[in-house]
Amino acid sequence: MTTRKYRTGERAQQVAGRKAAGANWKGTAQGLIFTTRNGTPIEPRHLNRSFEALCARVGVRKVPVHDLRHTCASLLHEQGADTRMIMEVLGHSSIRVTMDISTFVRLDSQRSAFDRVGDALRGDGDGPDDDDGPADAFVAV
Protein backbone atom coordinates (compact mmCIF):
# COMPACT_ATOMS: atom_id res chain seq x y z
CA MET A 1 0.00 0.00 0.00
CA THR A 2 1.39 3.39 -0.94
CA THR A 3 0.90 6.52 1.05
CA ARG A 4 0.65 9.96 -0.39
CA LYS A 5 0.45 13.50 0.84
CA TYR A 6 -3.05 14.75 1.44
CA ARG A 7 -4.05 18.00 -0.14
CA THR A 8 -5.65 20.53 2.17
CA GLY A 9 -9.07 20.15 0.51
CA GLU A 10 -9.01 16.36 0.84
CA ARG A 11 -8.18 16.48 4.53
CA ALA A 12 -10.83 19.15 5.12
CA GLN A 13 -13.44 17.00 3.37
CA GLN A 14 -12.54 14.04 5.55
CA VAL A 15 -12.78 16.10 8.75
CA ALA A 16 -16.08 17.66 7.66
CA GLY A 17 -17.56 14.22 6.93
CA ARG A 18 -16.50 12.93 10.32
CA LYS A 19 -18.05 15.94 12.10
CA ALA A 20 -21.30 15.68 10.14
CA ALA A 21 -21.71 11.99 11.00
CA GLY A 22 -21.03 12.56 14.68
CA ALA A 23 -21.65 9.43 16.73
CA ASN A 24 -22.68 7.52 13.58
CA TRP A 25 -19.11 7.71 12.20
CA LYS A 26 -17.86 4.19 11.57
CA GLY A 27 -14.68 5.15 9.76
CA THR A 28 -11.63 3.03 10.21
CA ALA A 29 -7.99 3.95 10.57
CA GLN A 30 -7.57 3.43 6.81
CA GLY A 31 -7.42 7.19 6.29
CA LEU A 32 -9.98 7.14 3.48
CA ILE A 33 -10.80 10.51 1.97
CA PHE A 34 -13.98 9.65 0.10
CA THR A 35 -16.35 7.55 2.17
CA THR A 36 -20.04 6.98 2.75
CA ARG A 37 -21.80 9.40 5.10
CA ASN A 38 -20.81 7.17 8.00
CA GLY A 39 -17.15 6.83 7.07
CA THR A 40 -17.24 3.34 5.61
CA PRO A 41 -15.60 2.54 2.26
CA ILE A 42 -17.67 3.34 -0.82
CA GLU A 43 -18.86 0.30 -2.76
CA PRO A 44 -17.38 0.64 -6.28
CA ARG A 45 -20.66 -0.22 -8.04
CA HIS A 46 -22.47 2.53 -6.11
CA LEU A 47 -19.75 5.03 -6.98
CA ASN A 48 -19.97 4.14 -10.67
CA ARG A 49 -23.77 4.41 -10.73
CA SER A 50 -23.73 7.73 -8.88
CA PHE A 51 -21.05 9.12 -11.16
CA GLU A 52 -22.93 8.02 -14.32
CA ALA A 53 -26.11 9.65 -13.01
CA LEU A 54 -24.21 12.85 -12.27
CA CYS A 55 -22.71 12.92 -15.78
CA ALA A 56 -26.17 12.45 -17.31
CA ARG A 57 -27.68 15.16 -15.10
CA VAL A 58 -25.10 17.80 -16.02
CA GLY A 59 -24.86 16.75 -19.67
CA VAL A 60 -21.24 15.67 -19.97
CA ARG A 61 -20.04 12.57 -21.74
CA LYS A 62 -19.63 9.50 -19.60
CA VAL A 63 -16.02 8.74 -18.68
CA PRO A 64 -15.26 5.68 -16.55
CA VAL A 65 -14.15 6.72 -13.07
CA HIS A 66 -10.91 4.80 -13.59
CA ASP A 67 -10.10 7.02 -16.59
CA LEU A 68 -10.80 10.40 -14.97
CA ARG A 69 -7.17 11.24 -14.15
CA HIS A 70 -6.03 10.33 -17.67
CA THR A 71 -8.90 12.30 -19.19
CA CYS A 72 -8.18 15.33 -17.02
CA ALA A 73 -4.48 15.28 -17.91
CA SER A 74 -5.14 14.86 -21.62
CA LEU A 75 -7.76 17.61 -21.79
CA LEU A 76 -5.56 20.02 -19.84
CA HIS A 77 -2.68 19.16 -22.18
CA GLU A 78 -4.84 19.72 -25.27
CA GLN A 79 -5.96 23.09 -23.94
CA GLY A 80 -2.35 24.19 -23.64
CA ALA A 81 -1.91 23.84 -19.88
CA ASP A 82 1.66 23.92 -18.65
CA THR A 83 3.06 20.45 -17.95
CA ARG A 84 4.18 21.44 -14.45
CA MET A 85 0.65 22.57 -13.61
CA ILE A 86 -0.79 19.26 -14.87
CA MET A 87 1.77 17.42 -12.74
CA GLU A 88 0.68 19.40 -9.66
CA VAL A 89 -3.03 18.82 -10.35
CA LEU A 90 -2.48 15.06 -10.59
CA GLY A 91 -0.06 14.92 -7.67
CA HIS A 92 2.72 13.26 -9.64
CA SER A 93 6.29 13.35 -8.39
CA SER A 94 7.79 14.11 -11.79
CA ILE A 95 6.85 15.60 -15.14
CA ARG A 96 7.99 12.43 -16.88
CA VAL A 97 5.30 10.41 -15.08
CA THR A 98 2.70 12.96 -16.11
CA MET A 99 3.68 12.94 -19.78
CA ASP A 100 4.43 9.22 -20.12
CA ILE A 101 1.44 7.80 -18.29
CA SER A 102 -1.34 10.30 -17.99
CA THR A 103 -1.55 12.13 -21.29
CA PHE A 104 -2.22 11.11 -24.82
CA VAL A 105 -2.82 13.13 -27.95
CA ARG A 106 -6.19 12.61 -29.56
CA LEU A 107 -6.31 11.64 -33.22
CA ASP A 108 -7.91 14.93 -34.30
CA SER A 109 -5.12 16.85 -32.56
CA GLN A 110 -2.54 14.71 -34.35
CA ARG A 111 -4.23 15.38 -37.70
CA SER A 112 -4.31 19.10 -36.98
CA ALA A 113 -0.60 19.09 -36.13
CA PHE A 114 0.27 17.22 -39.33
CA ASP A 115 -1.92 19.59 -41.35
CA ARG A 116 0.07 22.52 -39.92
CA VAL A 117 3.34 20.78 -40.84
CA GLY A 118 2.02 20.22 -44.37
CA ASP A 119 0.96 23.87 -44.61
CA ALA A 120 4.40 24.98 -43.48
CA LEU A 121 6.15 22.74 -46.01
CA ARG A 122 3.88 23.94 -48.83
CA GLY A 123 4.20 27.56 -47.76
CA ASP A 124 0.40 27.78 -47.39
CA GLY A 125 0.52 29.53 -44.03
CA ASP A 126 0.16 33.25 -43.59
CA GLY A 127 2.41 33.61 -40.57
CA PRO A 128 5.70 35.50 -40.29
CA ASP A 129 7.71 32.30 -40.82
CA ASP A 130 6.15 31.74 -44.25
CA ASP A 131 8.90 33.40 -46.29
CA ASP A 132 11.05 30.36 -47.06
CA GLY A 133 10.86 30.71 -50.83
CA PRO A 134 8.59 29.23 -53.48
CA ALA A 135 6.12 26.53 -52.52
CA ASP A 136 7.71 23.95 -54.84
CA ALA A 137 11.23 24.41 -53.41
CA PHE A 138 12.88 21.56 -51.54
CA VAL A 139 13.11 21.96 -47.82
CA ALA A 140 16.05 20.56 -45.87
CA VAL A 141 15.08 19.22 -42.50
Side-chain angles (χ1 to χ4, degrees):
M1 178 177 191
T2 60
T3 57
R4 66 181 183 92
K5 297 185 300 185
Y6 290 105
R7 292 188 178 97
T8 304
E10 292 171 341
R11 179 61 70 191
Q13 180 170 344
Q14 184 182 43
V15 170
R18 188 174 293 156
K19 284 181 182 178
N24 292 328
W25 184 258
K26 295 179 179 76
T28 65
Q30 294 172 322
L32 299 174
I33 300 296
F34 302 104
T35 64
T36 64
R37 289 186 192 122
N38 295 327
T40 58
I42 297 173
E43 172 64 41
R45 289 177 302 189
H46 297 313
L47 175 67
N48 288 331
R49 277 195 301 263
S50 296
F51 186 71
E52 287 175 13
L54 178 63
C55 288
R57 188 167 62 234
V58 298
V60 297
R61 69 182 170 102
K62 185 175 93 172
V63 175
V65 173
H66 176 77
D67 295 344
L68 287 176
R69 286 172 54 87
H70 298 287
T71 301
C72 175
S74 296
L75 291 174
L76 286 170
H77 180 69
E78 279 185 16
Q79 297 302 313
D82 178 74
T83 306
R84 176 145 316 264
M85 189 274 297
I86 297 171
M87 180 189 88
E88 292 291 330
V89 166
L90 297 177
H92 289 156
S93 60
S94 75
I95 288 177
R96 182 172 196 109
V97 170
T98 303
M99 296 310 294
D100 288 349
I101 296 173
S102 296
T103 60
F104 68 94
V105 180
R106 290 178 14 175
L107 187 56
D108 57 341
S109 295
Q110 291 177 18
R111 284 187 184 131
S112 176
F114 285 121
D115 287 345
R116 290 192 304 272
V117 169
D119 291 346
L121 291 173
R122 283 189 300 277
D124 293 345
D126 56 4
D129 293 334
D130 192 31
D131 58 358
D132 296 332
D136 59 347
F138 290 104
V139 177
V141 203

